């Protein structure tokens, strides 16, 4: 049973990134189980300039991923750039990617195959490794491809879900603060004899001038019922 380890030196996982990490771990582990002659796998998700989270099924494979991301040279960067599988049938005879080749051979890896799965907002790269040369070529059309397609689709869904939760949280905060702001506007309107737009403008200028949140300013006005703030409000209304 392969032991999945995350590449801790790449990115420390926050609660928001924990779910991508689990998806990647599951993808790598399942790909090994369903691919003949495969001794291990790695998977990562690239989202533009963000440092990609990744997972490997064996600690020795972490170095293979790291050397490629550090140098920008190897099957993973090539697959991400081209959007198509990159096969290295025999690393002993391979002339590309000298740094990656050296680390792979030192780990006993003789061949590798990296399959990218592109979506509009991200790309998943699944890499399969073998101790034997020339045995992974067909894997790009086997079960590993189906697993990668599913993982990429799920990661896009997870991303959209997290974005929706964030938006919902912001909306909830705005709705909770609205009554306080409305009350403060009412008080300012009473003190200054102005309309709602002018009252809101006064609160906003106080917020900007004192580097405080608008809701904090509104809360202070409501707590004091405007008392003691008359001069300040008048000066800001001019």
């Amino acid at each position: 049973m392969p032991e999945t380890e995350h590449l801790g030196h790449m990115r420390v996982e926050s609660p928001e990134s924990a779910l991508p990490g689990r998806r990647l771990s599951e993808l790598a582990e399942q790909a090994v189980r369903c691919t003949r002659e495969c001794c291990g796998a790695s998977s990562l998700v690239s989202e533009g300039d963000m440092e990609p989270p990744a997972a490997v099924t064996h600690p020795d494979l972490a170095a293979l991923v790291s050397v490629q991301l550090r140098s920008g040279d190897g099957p993973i960067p090539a697959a991400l750039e081209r959007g198509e599988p990159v096969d290295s049938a025999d690393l002993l005879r391979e002339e590309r990617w000298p740094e990656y080749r050296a680390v792979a051979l030192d780990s006993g890896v003789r061949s590798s195959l990296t399959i990218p799965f592109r979506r509009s907002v991200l790309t998943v790269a699944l890499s399969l490794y073998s101790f034997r040369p020339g045995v992974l070529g067909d894997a790009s059309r086997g079960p590993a491809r189906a697993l990668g397609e599913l993982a990429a689709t799920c990661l896009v869904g997870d991303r959209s879900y997290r974005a929706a939760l964030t938006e919902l949280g912001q909306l909830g905060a705005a709705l909770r603060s609205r009554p306080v702001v409305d009350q403060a506007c009412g008080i300012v309107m009473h003190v200054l004899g102005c309309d709602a737009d002018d009252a809101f403008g006064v609160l906003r200028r106080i917020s900007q001038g004192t580097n405080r949140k608008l809701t904090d300013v509104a809360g202070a006005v409501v707590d004091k019922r405007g008392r003691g703030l008359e001069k300040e409000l008048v000066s800001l209304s001019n």
Side-chain angles (χ1 to χ4, degrees):
M1 181 76 64
E3 178 186 357
T4 302
E5 293 196 358
H6 300 289
L7 307 185
H9 59 283
M10 291 183 180
R11 188 169 81 184
V12 177
E13 288 193 349
S14 64
E16 291 77 14
S17 64
L19 186 54
R22 288 197 297 272
R23 295 281 191 200
L24 295 172
S25 295
E26 292 169 0
L27 170 60
E29 291 174 352
Q30 291 171 5
V32 172
R33 294 190 186 104
C34 71
T35 304
R36 294 183 60 186
E37 304 288 352
C38 182
C39 66
S42 67
S43 59
L44 61 79
V45 56
S46 175
E47 300 183 68
D49 296 333
M50 294 179 62
E51 199 170 8
V56 295
T57 57
H58 190 278
D60 290 348
L61 298 178
L64 273 70
V65 178
S66 296
V67 70
Q68 295 180 74
L69 297 182
R70 185 179 67 250
S71 66
D73 192 33
I76 293 176
L80 291 174
E81 180 180 357
R82 301 174 193 172
E84 59 186 32
V86 175
D87 185 11
S88 183
D90 190 351
L91 287 165
L92 197 60
R93 302 173 183 272
E94 183 65 74
E95 297 181 354
R96 300 169 291 177
W97 322 307
E99 288 189 68
Y100 166 74
R101 176 178 177 269
V103 175
L105 290 174
D106 187 57
S107 300
V109 172
R110 280 290 299 273
S111 61
S112 68
L113 172 68
T114 299
I115 313 170
F117 304 92
R118 279 186 175 175
R119 296 296 185 269
S120 58
V121 294
L122 56 81
T123 301
V124 174
L126 171 64
S127 296
L128 306 174
Y129 307 95
S130 178
F131 293 136
R132 297 181 58 193
V135 295
L136 295 173
D138 293 338
S140 62
R141 298 182 294 275
R145 172 170 286 279
L147 289 170
E149 295 286 2
L150 177 60
T153 299
C154 289
L155 283 166
V156 170
D158 295 340
R159 190 178 189 270
S160 299
Y161 178 67
R162 293 195 303 274
L165 286 180
T166 300
E167 184 176 353
L168 184 61
Q170 293 171 346
L171 178 60
L175 290 174
R176 289 191 296 272
S177 66
R178 182 59 184 267
V180 176
V181 175
D182 286 345
Q183 290 179 52
C185 283
I187 293 172
V188 174
M189 290 168 65
H190 175 72
V191 172
L192 300 179
C194 63
D195 61 22
D197 288 340
D198 289 339
F200 183 79
V202 170
L203 294 176
R204 185 169 58 185
R205 285 194 289 276
I206 296 175
S207 171
Q208 294 171 344
T210 59
N211 196 29
R212 297 160 64 195
K213 292 181 180 179
L214 180 62
T215 52
D216 293 340
V217 171
V221 171
V222 171
D223 289 342
K224 294 184 178 182
R225 299 292 189 271
R227 291 189 294 272
L229 300 174
E230 291 86 350
K231 291 184 179 179
E232 183 179 4
L233 294 175
V234 170
S235 66
L236 287 169
S237 66
N238 296 326

